[in-house]
Amino acid sequence: MAEGASLRFLLIVTGSTLRAESMDRPLAYYLKRRIEEALEASTDRDLADYEVHVVADFRWLHDESLQNMATISLGGPGVNELAHRWLEEVPVALAVNERYFIQLDPEPAEAKASIWGMNNATTQIAVSVFLDRFLPRFLERCATIPPAALDLDDEGDSGPEDD
């Protein structure tokens, strides 16, 4: 894609640890598919041009251009550095018996969420609850974020790729 292209991404950020790669990344692709289905079904024209991508936590943390995009952190603070960073920053919207958590930024112009559980099974439950109870509100926030000018050519790559 050309330098400076206007893009609207929703990023799902997973950890870079072996556990996160084997457990959370497949769950992130499930979440990606469900969000894409919701975007396709939406009648909100402000959501029509969104692309959903799964990226690693360190990529997100070290690429400032990604940090202004709608972002869902998936996986707990022990395996995902972004979840660790947002642990005290982003308020808890739902905590169930200290087993799983959904954090959402209260600012209407910010589309940040962190979804995690104490293990993979409870993280799966948290994802399901997020999809059922919080995704519509999250997508409403995404609709308010203007497209970002971004150079996607990272060291000669021809376009965006999932990490």
Side-chain angles (χ1 to χ4, degrees):
M1 188 167 281
E3 185 174 332
S6 291
L7 304 170
R8 297 186 70 180
F9 284 177
L10 192 164
L11 304 174
I12 301 170
V13 178
T14 63
S16 302
T17 66
L18 290 176
R19 182 201 167 279
E21 287 291 334
S22 65
M23 304 296 271
D24 293 337
R25 188 166 283 266
L27 186 56
Y29 282 104
Y30 167 77
L31 179 59
K32 175 184 187 286
R33 187 173 59 251
R34 292 289 306 272
I35 292 171
E36 288 172 339
E37 290 169 0
L39 290 170
E40 287 176 18
S42 176
T43 58
D44 189 337
R45 289 183 16 204
D46 289 326
L47 294 172
D49 59 349
Y50 261 93
E51 293 181 26
V52 183
H53 294 274
V54 176
V55 299
D57 53 357
F58 288 110
R59 170 80 188 263
W60 191 94
L61 289 167
H62 295 290
D63 189 340
E64 287 185 31
S65 63
L66 300 179
Q67 296 173 14
N68 294 322
M69 296 183 179
T71 302
I72 298 171
S73 173
L74 180 64
V79 296
N80 182 331
E81 285 299 316
L82 180 57
H84 182 76
R85 175 182 284 185
W86 283 357
L87 188 59
E88 300 295 326
E89 241 177 78
V90 179
V92 174
L94 179 68
V96 177
N97 298 327
E98 295 188 22
R99 300 291 299 150
Y100 67 86
F101 302 83
I102 298 172
Q103 297 173 258
L104 289 172
D105 197 311
E107 294 296 320
E110 296 286 331
K112 294 179 183 175
S114 187
I115 305 168
W116 57 282
M118 299 308 282
N119 56 40
N120 187 258
T122 56
T123 301
Q124 290 178 33
I125 294 168
V127 166
S128 179
V129 171
F130 175 82
L131 289 167
D132 290 342
R133 292 181 51 187
F134 296 96
L135 183 61
R137 179 172 45 167
F138 187 79
L139 291 179
E140 285 174 14
R141 290 182 180 177
C142 291
T144 67
I145 297 173
L150 178 66
D151 179 8
L152 290 178
D153 292 334
D154 186 18
E155 299 176 3
D157 291 343
S158 60
E161 291 183 19
D162 293 335
D163 281 342

